[in-house]
Amino acid sequence: MMHFLAVYGWSLLGKTWQHIYISGISLGLGVLVAVPVGVLLTRVKNRVASVVVSIASMLQTIPALALLAFMIPIFGIGVKPAIVALFIYSLLPILRNTYIGMNDVDPSLKDAAKGMGMTNWQSIIKVEVPLAGPVIMSGIRLSATYVIAWAALASYIGAGGLGDFIFNGLNLYRTDLILGGSIPVIILALIVDWLLGKLEVAITPKTSQG
Amino acid sequence: MKIAFLSMEHLNKTYSGGKVAVDDFSLEIEKGEFVCLIGTSGSGKTTTMRMINRMLQQTSGTIKLNGKDISELDPVKLRRKIGYVIQNIGLMPHMTIRQNITIVPKLLKWPQKKMDERAKEMIKLVELPEEFLDRYPSELSGGQQQRIGVVRALAADQDLILMDEPYGALDPITRESLQDLIKDLQTRLGKTVVFVTHDMDEALSLATKIVVMDDGKIMQVASPDEILRHPANEFVENLIGKDRLIQARPSITTVGQVMLTNAASITPDKLLKEALKTMHDRRVDSLLVTDDANYLKGYIDIEDIDYNFQTATSVGDVMHDDVFYVQSDSLVRDTVERILKRGFKNVPVVDSEHRLVGIVTRAALVDIVYDALWGDDDKSESKADSSQQGGAAQ
Ligand SMILES: Nc1ncnc2c1ncn2[C@@H]1O[C@H](COP(=O)(O)OP(=O)(O)OP(=O)(O)O)[C@@H](O)[C@H]1O
Ligand SMILES: [Mg+2]
């Protein structure tokens, strides 16, 4: 192990950074798109919402490697197509949880908000999103785990990241390289999930003084 | 022409499924009135109320607030001017009581200081300690939450308050104290309240004007007093309930209130001789027969005694058990005709357990009929009072 770190230490750090970078950007974009769209879906006809959610679910079912491969003719190889593919993957859990979380807010609270003279926007910002926050956040956590895991595949289209170790290991029958790539991915996923868990608690609205 | 504070003209609301929830509803409300909408479930009360703050759009008809057609106002601004208390209270669980109370002031961009002052003022108004301002709704009891729900609708100086069955879920005692509270606030602050309820007692004690609805239509609009005296139709009567009509309408009294409580009676085991003596002493020509527990068994009159004096010995041997009687809680109005038609001189009155409690004489009935036809309210009122005392003394 020490030997592995001595030889590959710097490279490992670099690849880990790449991995974080790819996943982070994809997830960030996913949140930026899926949360507003999820919110918007609660304001359109149910039929429209269910169509959008099914499209997102469909995208989710495309095998990861295939999706990555599809990106090549459009975006070439490298980081960019990887980010786009992972971004697409991150959408569904966030979108679905946002939509469900918003819809699950007690209708009488939404009614009270409107009845007191909140605009649609004020009701979303002051009432619905805060109350749906924990559900939205757990969607983000789920996406984060997916994205980090699948980012390992991004190496296949030349995006770098910890997947480089894994694919090299597979090609060279080198278990140490495979493990050296996989274990950091797992650790990374666990840490991010833990951090986002903390964040989830932080954004869960207080409902008592204690 | 004087402009009503709130006027609703020929409102109709037909839901998309074709259900006509409100049908040609017209009503004028003056400032300072306490209007209760009452009716069976599904009669369109909520629908009517929600058109006032444009939570619903009427299919046809106009609503004017201070003479202005509300459909020309910005709905958001309109709602900020109208206090709204929904059935489930709807306090925001993620906001403190202070934040909840000042939601509308905040929407109206009041300065922070003014909002803090108002929050304190409001919590005092509902007699809760100031510390509660920093609590969250989940840390208050249901009744306390409802109090906050009420002042939340007052906090921005709204003149018009809409309340949709605000106290439906509360226990009777809490409910009563909140009724007192809202009534007091309403009169003290000169608010106009439109209040939906299922509960006639609530409507009678709160309203200055009661609007009875059935199947989307107005059945009657009247003051509590008027509605009790002159229910417009059978539906209104049923909604009010017999008990309340009796209590509230002196001209409609129960048999129990007009009967004499000193009915002459005898037990079946007594000798005919004793019966005769009792008749003589009481100066009556018939006796009611009751057992030891005072259950009405029958009657015996002077002719029976005359015929059978030689043969029979005890009252029980000769009494008639087909006695005509009335219940003490039945309405005089409902029974007087029956009594008169049968030509009885007097009729025994029993309680729900069939125990003899009194007797109605023909003379008393004459008084009642006279009052019903000629008596003015004052007179019948005083009469009901005195007979009530008679009833209490028994
Ligand atoms: N959104 C809707 N779509 C179709 N019909 C509706 C809708 N809302 C209410 N209704 C119908 O309109 C009628 C009046 O409803 P409303 O809620 O006004 O009654 P309510 O008098 O408030 O009854 P409750 O005492 O039960 O609250 C009912 O028959 C109800 O089923
Ligand atoms: Mg209702």
Side-chain angles (χ1 to χ4, degrees), chain B residues 13-22 37-50 56 87 164-165 196-198 213 215-216:
Chain B
K13 175 68 188 179
T14 307
Y15 282 109
S16 49
K19 166 83 197 169
V20 181
V22 174
L37 299 182
I38 189 165
T40 43
S41 186
S43 55
K45 307 179 293 292
T46 300
T47 306
T48 304
M49 170 169 278
R50 285 167 72 86
L56 286 173
Q87 179 160 11
D164 194 349
E165 290 186 51
V196 167
T197 181
H198 263 120
M213 292 184 71
D215 198 19

Side-chain angles (χ1 to χ4, degrees), chain A residues 108-109 111-118 122 126-127 130-131 205-209, chain B residues 50 55 76 79-80 84 86 88 91-94 103 107 134-136 138-139 152:
Chain A
S108 66
L109 294 181
D111 198 63
K114 186 176 177 193
M116 281 186 291
M118 286 196 190
Q122 284 166 331
K126 291 176 181 240
V127 178
L131 291 174
K206 264 180 76 162
T207 55
S208 71
Q209 285 175 310
Chain B
R50 285 167 72 86
M55 293 295 278
V76 168
R79 291 180 200 131
R80 291 176 187 174
Y84 186 37
I86 60 171
N88 318 349
L91 293 185
M92 301 296 167
H94 61 301
I103 286 177
L107 292 172
D134 294 313
R135 292 204 187 176
Y136 286 86
S138 68
E139 297 167 318
R152 186 173 68 170

Side-chain angles (χ1 to χ4, degrees), chain A:
Chain A
M1 164 113 169
M2 286 320 286
H3 177 71
F4 180 87
L5 282 182
V7 179
Y8 296 103
W10 286 110
S11 156
L12 186 66
L13 264 182
K15 300 287 180 202
T16 305
W17 167 245
Q18 273 178 345
H19 204 100
I20 294 173
Y21 174 81
I22 297 168
S23 327
I25 302 253
S26 322
L27 185 69
L29 288 175
V31 172
L32 284 180
V33 172
V35 172
V37 172
V39 169
L40 196 70
L41 288 184
T42 62
R43 292 301 194 272
V44 299
K45 290 221 162 58
N46 278 339
R47 204 142 33 92
V48 177
S50 62
V51 167
V52 173
V53 173
S54 350
I55 292 174
S57 313
M58 218 170 62
L59 291 175
Q60 192 83 6
T61 60
I62 304 173
L65 270 175
L67 187 64
L68 285 166
F70 283 144
M71 292 298 142
I72 298 173
I74 309 170
F75 298 101
I77 56 165
V79 173
K80 207 161 76 177
I83 286 178
V84 174
L86 291 174
F87 156 74
I88 290 172
Y89 269 115
S90 73
L91 289 177
L92 179 73
I94 305 176
L95 187 72
R96 197 166 44 191
N97 275 41
T98 305
Y99 181 65
I100 291 172
M102 295 280 291
N103 268 345
D104 275 0
V105 172
D106 183 349
S108 66
L109 294 181
K110 294 188 236 180
D111 198 63
K114 186 176 177 193
M116 281 186 291
M118 286 196 190
T119 60
N120 221 332
W121 178 245
Q122 284 166 331
S123 173
I124 290 171
I125 295 299
K126 291 176 181 240
V127 178
E128 295 169 59
V129 168
L131 291 174
V135 183
I136 298 175
M137 203 58 215
S138 66
I140 295 176
R141 275 172 77 177
L142 194 62
S143 278
T145 316
Y146 285 156
V147 166
I148 291 169
W150 285 328
L153 295 177
S155 137
Y156 175 73
I157 55 169
L162 290 164
D164 285 356
F165 279 108
I166 301 170
F167 280 108
N168 277 337
L170 285 172
N171 287 333
L172 306 170
Y173 301 109
R174 288 262 310 267
T175 322
D176 59 338
L177 286 182
I178 296 174
L179 287 179
S182 315
I183 293 171
V185 171
I186 294 167
I187 294 174
L188 195 60
L190 288 176
I191 291 177
V192 168
D193 192 55
W194 180 76
L195 284 175
L196 290 178
K198 286 273 174 210
L199 188 60
E200 186 179 321
V201 172
I203 65 156
T204 299
K206 264 180 76 162
T207 55
S208 71
Q209 285 175 310

Side-chain angles (χ1 to χ4, degrees), chain B residues 183-223:
Chain B
K183 186 70 190 166
D184 177 54
L185 292 179
Q186 184 260 340
T187 37
R188 214 143 42 96
L189 308 175
K191 305 287 184 187
T192 309
V193 177
V194 179
F195 190 104
V196 167
T197 181
H198 263 120
D199 178 354
M200 188 44 102
D201 283 321
E202 191 164 70
L204 289 171
S205 71
L206 291 176
T208 57
K209 192 188 255 178
I210 295 179
V211 179
V212 182
M213 292 184 71
D214 180 35
D215 198 19
K217 289 188 257 311
I218 293 184
M219 292 287 113
Q220 183 169 18
V221 179
S223 69

Side-chain angles (χ1 to χ4, degrees), chain B residues 250 367 370-371 374-386:
Chain B
D367 283 347
Y370 181 88
D371 276 347
W374 308 107
D376 57 42
D377 291 331
D378 288 341
K379 190 163 154 248
S380 45
E381 208 140 13
S382 65
K383 177 166 165 35
D385 279 347
S386 61

Side-chain angles (χ1 to χ4, degrees), chain B residues 45-95:
Chain B
K45 307 179 293 292
T46 300
T47 306
T48 304
M49 170 169 278
R50 285 167 72 86
M51 289 191 281
I52 299 173
N53 61 356
R54 293 192 62 186
M55 293 295 278
L56 286 173
Q57 177 69 45
Q58 66 266 30
T59 312
S60 65
T62 7
I63 301 176
K64 288 183 186 155
L65 187 60
N66 281 318
K68 273 214 201 79
D69 188 340
I70 61 163
S71 63
E72 286 157 18
L73 304 174
D74 174 5
V76 168
K77 283 195 187 130
L78 176 74
R79 291 180 200 131
R80 291 176 187 174
K81 282 201 298 196
I82 299 177
Y84 186 37
V85 184
I86 60 171
Q87 179 160 11
N88 318 349
I89 316 177
L91 293 185
M92 301 296 167
H94 61 301
M95 297 183 187

